[in-house]
């Protein structure tokens, strides 16, 4: 069975995205769940997909649950709509909205089709992660804090090492009569 690969961009920063592979006979409910897992969001809030054109204009809606909202066109349900039923073009786009109070918005674009599925994977599956996911509630720390943590964790270049007191100077040097704490014979009377 073929496999479709979608790139899911966080609308506020397109350098933050996740690639999700899914089978055409799986539903939008499965894609919804895969997106939330890929961005480490919970499943406590409402969500909807819109079929979109190349200009990211909203088309037919695919909703999570039945509601009584008036619409020009009757929406589809995520649990009943297969991915194949909504993909009409080789670069099909969707807009995905999650948590209507916070209005998380993601741009979903079909970027590839594989002829065969990988028997070792359980679909849908996140096959690539780029960038730090936004924090859903701000409790894990802000994106800026996460960036600082990452820089501190991985910035082990020589300049950074010297600035933080991890340079090589002074390792082999000894002060005349100095002990390991830097005190010498002349310091004995200074206590």
């Amino acid at each position: 069975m073929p496999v479709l690969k979608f790139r899911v961009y966080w609308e506020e920063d397109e350098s933050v995205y996740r690639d999700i592979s899914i089978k055409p006979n799986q539903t939008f409910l499965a894609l919804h769940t895969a997106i939330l897992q890929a961005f480490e969001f919970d499943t406590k809030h409402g969500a909807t997909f819109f079929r979109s054109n190349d200009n990211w204009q909203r088309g037919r809606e695919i909703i999570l649950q039945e509601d009584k909202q008036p619409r020009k066109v009757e929406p589809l349900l995520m649990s009943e709509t297969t991915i194949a039923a909504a993909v009409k073009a080789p670069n099909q786009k969707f807009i995905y909205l999650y948590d209507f109070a916070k209005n998380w918005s993601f741009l979903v674009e079909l970027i590839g089709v594989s002829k065969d599925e990988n028997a070792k994977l359980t679909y849908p599956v996140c096959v690539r992660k780029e960038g730090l996911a936004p924090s859903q509630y701000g409790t894990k720390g802000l994106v800026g804090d996460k960036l600082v943590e990452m820089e501190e964790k991985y910035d082990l270049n020589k300049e950074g090492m010297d600035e933080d007191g991890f340079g090589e100077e002074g390792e082999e040097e000894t002060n005349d009569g100095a002990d390991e704490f830097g005190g010498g014979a002349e310091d004995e009377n200074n206590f």
Side-chain angles (χ1 to χ4, degrees), residues 61-79:
E61 191 172 4
I62 305 166
I63 59 176
L64 182 59
Q65 300 171 12
E66 296 255 5
D67 60 20
K68 305 293 184 210
Q69 299 294 325
R71 295 177 177 89
K72 291 180 182 177
V73 177
E74 187 68 25
L76 303 170
L77 280 175
M78 286 186 202
S79 60

Side-chain angles (χ1 to χ4, degrees), residues 5-119:
K5 185 190 292 185
F6 288 94
R7 180 155 291 168
V8 183
Y9 299 95
W10 178 34
E11 188 178 43
E12 291 188 27
D13 183 354
E14 290 187 7
S15 68
V16 177
Y17 64 85
R18 305 294 183 256
D19 289 352
I20 297 175
S21 291
I22 190 167
K23 296 178 190 177
N25 65 348
Q26 291 182 297
T27 66
F28 275 86
L29 183 60
L31 181 58
H32 155 74
T33 303
I35 291 170
L36 294 179
Q37 288 174 350
F39 282 94
E40 300 176 14
F41 281 20
D42 62 32
T43 58
K44 297 178 182 177
H45 304 284
T48 192
F49 285 93
F50 292 93
R51 196 166 30 208
S52 180
N53 61 14
D54 287 340
N55 297 321
W56 298 105
Q57 295 174 321
R58 295 178 183 185
R60 185 140 191 211
E61 191 172 4
I62 305 166
I63 59 176
L64 182 59
Q65 300 171 12
E66 296 255 5
D67 60 20
K68 305 293 184 210
Q69 299 294 325
R71 295 177 177 89
K72 291 180 182 177
V73 177
E74 187 68 25
L76 303 170
L77 280 175
M78 286 186 202
S79 60
E80 298 174 357
T81 308
T82 63
I83 302 296
V87 172
K88 306 292 184 199
N91 65 334
Q92 181 68 57
K93 293 176 173 63
F94 299 94
I95 298 169
Y96 173 69
L97 301 178
Y98 179 68
D99 186 354
F100 304 123
K102 299 270 187 178
N103 203 26
W104 291 102
S105 184
F106 298 88
L107 307 175
V108 182
E109 182 176 10
L110 180 62
I111 61 167
V113 179
S114 301
K115 291 183 180 180
D116 297 312
E117 63 184 90
N118 183 337

Side-chain angles (χ1 to χ4, degrees), residues 151-161 164 166:
E151 287 174 2
E152 288 175 357
K153 185 174 181 180
Y154 296 108
D155 189 16
L156 300 177
N157 62 31
K158 185 160 176 44
E159 290 179 21
M161 298 289 275
D164 293 334
F166 293 101

Side-chain angles (χ1 to χ4, degrees), residues 117-123 125:
E117 63 184 90
N118 183 337
K120 296 177 183 176
L121 298 176
T122 302
Y123 294 93
V125 61

